[in-house]
């Protein structure tokens, strides 16, 4: 396939060169709230998987622990994001340390992946899931 030369504008004059605008002035990348919410959910799952106080998957009792996926609500505006997360945590776990870890990790990860400044990460702990699973919840 051969390419043909671009047609000259009528009158034979070359088109006036447009000044190249800096990238920041050419437009904006808009990331929908739904996408930011998905990123926040994934980051919360990563945070819980890497938290030092959480039961490890190699523990026999932790193998039965199944946490529901977190839910996120997001408000985006002016290059900033406010996040609200509802999640389940494994029991036993230090709630204060785990909460701070999740907030910090999610805030950094969302900022890194979206370029937005995260101003707030609010957590709501829906329930604690026993590490031994439902069969170990009965008093003996």
């Amino acid at each position: 396939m051969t390419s043909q030369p671009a047609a000259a504008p009528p009158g034979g004059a070359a088109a006036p060169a447009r000044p190249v605008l800096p990238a920041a002035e050419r437009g904006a990348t808009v990331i929908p709230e739904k996408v930011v919410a998905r990123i926040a959910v994934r980051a919360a799952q990563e945070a819980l998987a890497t938290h030092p106080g959480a039961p490890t998957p190699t523990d026999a009792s932790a193998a039965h622990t199944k946490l529901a996926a977190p839910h996120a609500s997001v408000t985006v505006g002016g290059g900033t994001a406010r996040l609200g997360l509802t999640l389940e945590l494994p029991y036993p776990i230090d709630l204060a340390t785990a909460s701070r870890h999740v907030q910090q990790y999610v805030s950094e990860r969302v900022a890194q992946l979206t370029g937005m400044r995260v101003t707030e990460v609010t957590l709501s702990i829906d329930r604690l899931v026993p590490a031994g699973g439902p069969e170990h919840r009965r008093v003996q």
Side-chain angles (χ1 to χ4, degrees):
M1 175 185 271
T2 60
S3 63
Q4 296 181 359
R18 292 187 192 178
V20 177
L21 295 173
E25 295 178 19
R26 283 186 240 154
T29 301
V30 178
I31 303 173
E33 291 180 351
K34 184 177 182 178
V35 173
V36 178
R38 286 184 182 173
I39 293 170
V41 164
R42 179 62 184 226
Q45 291 170 327
E46 291 173 4
L48 290 173
T50 61
H51 182 62
T56 60
T58 58
D59 293 345
S61 62
H64 301 317
T65 303
K66 181 67 176 162
L67 300 176
H71 298 282
S73 61
V74 176
T75 303
V76 174
T80 63
R82 294 176 58 206
L83 310 173
L85 289 169
T86 301
L87 57 127
E88 295 180 352
L89 293 177
Y91 178 83
I93 194 168
D94 180 0
L95 294 177
T97 303
S99 297
R100 280 192 300 273
H101 176 72
V102 169
Q103 287 174 314
Q104 180 79 22
Y105 188 91
V106 169
S107 176
E108 290 173 0
R109 193 76 171 130
V110 169
Q112 177 186 33
L113 293 172
T114 64
M116 295 180 184
R117 188 171 59 90
V118 178
T119 58
E120 179 180 357
V121 178
T122 305
L123 295 184
S124 174
I125 300 170
D126 197 30
R127 71 183 186 125
L128 300 175
V129 179
E135 64 273 1
H136 295 315
R137 287 196 260 172
R138 296 183 60 130
V139 177
Q140 297 180 7

